[in-house]
Amino acid sequence: MHATESCINLATGTYEKTVHETVDWLVVMILELFDHGHTPVMGKRDFTKAFRSVPICKDHWQWAWVLMYHKDRRFMIQFWGVCFGCTAAVFAFHRVGALLTRIVRKLMKAPLARYVDDAFAASREDIVWTSLKCLDFVTTLTGFRLDDAKSADDQIHMLVLGSAVELMIASRAVAIRVAEEKAERWSAD
């Protein structure tokens, strides 16, 4: 349970746990493909405005207002999708992401990993309907959008979750390190 800073007012209550895959899942996919004699390629997808894409129940719109002040002016904004920063947004999109991932894994029998609003996978280079192409199809059917600018397919070098992942085809291995810009930013602090 989480309460406001004053501990007087209960702000959020949940017993639900979120589960996310890490870049380790991608490494396992790659090594499995190498072990079975395949040449893997990697890819990734990012959900566009993931939290705001989950609609709020119409009966709850009366509580979905935010009041802001800017330069002595007052602005009232009403949200029809869950707001980024709200605890409820995390759990709402977690359920959506988990469902979409499960559809790809179970119904389409394709390996897919997800961390919040980032999906990533490795597949054989000769596969046309990769797990990410399946995710493209499922999101088109369900109305959730993916950010084309952040999408990548058929990669042997890829940045994912702050890590630079590189396929070493000749040695049938994978190298992983902290992405250069992340390392610079973290070392500057």
Side-chain angles (χ1 to χ4, degrees), residues 50-142:
F51 300 112
R52 285 186 268 165
S53 66
V54 181
I56 294 174
C57 174
K58 190 174 181 180
D59 295 341
H60 298 175
W61 284 0
Q62 62 185 326
W63 297 293
W65 290 90
V66 174
L67 176 65
M68 295 188 302
Y69 288 94
H70 178 69
K71 295 183 180 178
D72 297 327
R73 292 189 61 203
R74 183 175 54 184
F75 297 91
M76 289 184 66
I77 302 168
Q78 184 179 29
F79 290 90
W80 294 348
V82 291
C83 310
F84 179 78
C86 296
T87 302
V90 174
F91 292 99
F93 189 78
H94 176 70
R95 291 180 194 129
V96 168
L99 173 65
L100 297 173
T101 302
R102 187 167 182 85
I103 290 169
V104 171
R105 287 181 186 164
K106 299 294 183 184
L107 295 180
M108 300 178 165
K109 307 288 187 210
L112 181 66
R114 179 187 61 87
Y115 188 91
V116 188
D117 65 341
D118 297 312
F120 48 95
S123 63
R124 293 177 5 199
E125 67 179 346
D126 61 336
I127 297 291
V128 174
W129 277 94
T130 64
S131 54
L132 295 168
K133 297 285 184 190
C134 293
L135 181 63
D136 293 343
F137 179 73
V138 172
T139 56
T140 299
L141 291 176
T142 57

Side-chain angles (χ1 to χ4, degrees), residues 33 38-42 122-128 130 154 156 169:
L33 288 165
H38 302 293
T39 301
V41 290
M42 302 177 291
S123 63
R124 293 177 5 199
E125 67 179 346
D126 61 336
I127 297 291
V128 174
T130 64
D154 302 325
I156 59 170
I169 306 297

